[in-house]
């Protein structure tokens, strides 16, 4: 997706060989016009899947997911990383390990909003080690819903998450795949 | 805003005299079509203010804020409740007290994204005791930006936040104001 790659090149910053800072347009400041285009791109790629719901995770997954939901005319559910006061039981729970933080946390979704007849598209801002995506996929399975695929705005192709999901037979659509951040140079995978 | 009030009546639930559960369309499952209408309503109410940026707070403020940003063609910045790994210094920080949780936490925004020439609309899903809004307004002041006003999707009119902000001369626009949840009945303020 050229508009996205352009934003990554112009506004992104490789902080190290592994860390890409995109908080100018994706995960702190958000460019709503770019998000709308991202939503349209996800909707186009998954339009034949009969999707009834989008599942994402707070916080940075919400903007692209809501824009995709607007295009596909389906509700968006975001998994919570922390317990809610008004949402305490009736939960689907998965464990998500963060390699960068070195800790495992629980994410949760109310059973009310993922039903066995749902066809679910999992969306997130980043796909790196794939642990958040695995947790969301696990929640889709627990709900008895059908998984249509996993979409990510930016995949770090040099980390194992995307390939791990593909090897499980899951359709993965990443709008930009970065093959390397070595020497603080952002290199995209050729399409 | 009638579409919103209809959603509150049909899908909301008064859990007690003080707690309104709206996680069917606003803060867990999100209705993107309703969010688009909410974005349009905020944009219309604040269209003459010369807004250059919208400031909200993760997580439930993001969806309405991004939709308003799309309409106003301005970026959205969301304050973080937790520290980011790629965003560790150069921060504007405010303390936010939660009466329901009985604790005070810090919220933060990068100085890069709120400039002194910015005219900022503060948006959030709920306005109740007003502590989150006060924290966001404090961050706008620290940045030297101009505050255009505060918008909330749902104001709990029986809690002091909205009036406290209005008494400070801040323009407050709430798309639905609830005057009472007594006896688990949802009563709106007449417009």
């Amino acid at each position: 997706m050229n508009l996205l790659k352009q934003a990554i090149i112009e506004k992104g910053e490789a902080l190290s060989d592994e860390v890409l800072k995109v908080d100018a347009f994706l995960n702190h400041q958000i460019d709503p016009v770019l998000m709308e285009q991202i939503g349209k791109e996800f909707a186009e790629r998954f339009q034949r899947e009969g999707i009834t719901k989008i599942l994402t995770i707070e916080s940075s997954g919400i903007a692209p997911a809501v824009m995709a939901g607007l295009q596909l005319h389906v509700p968006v559910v975001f998994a919570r990383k922390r317990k809610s006061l008004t949402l305490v039981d009736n939960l689907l729970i998965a464990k998500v390990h963060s390699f960068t933080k070195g800790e495992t946390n629980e994410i949760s979704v109310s059973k009310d909003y993922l039903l066995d007849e749902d066809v679910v598209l999992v969306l997130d801002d980043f796909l790196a080690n794939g642990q958040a995506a695995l947790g969301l996929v696990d929640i889709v399975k627990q709900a008895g819903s059908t998984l249509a695929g996993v979409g990510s705005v930016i995949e770090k192709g040099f980390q194992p998450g995307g390939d791990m999901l593909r090897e499980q037979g899951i359709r993965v659509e990443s709008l930009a795949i970065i093959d390397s951040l070595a020497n603080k140079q952002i290199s995209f995978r050729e399409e």
Side-chain angles (χ1 to χ4, degrees), chain A residues 145-166:
Chain A
S145 310
T146 302
L147 178 69
V150 172
S152 78
V153 179
I154 301 174
E155 178 177 341
K156 291 180 180 171
F158 56 89
Q159 290 181 332
D163 290 338
M164 182 183 61
L165 294 170
R166 290 181 186 98

Side-chain angles (χ1 to χ4, degrees), chain A residues 9 14 18 20 22 38 49 56 65 72 76 85 114 120 140 150 190:
Chain A
I9 291 166
E18 297 205 339
L20 177 68
V22 286
I38 284 170
E49 304 293 330
T56 187
L72 290 166
V76 172
L85 287 175
L114 280 187
V120 181
V140 172
V150 172
E190 298 290 329

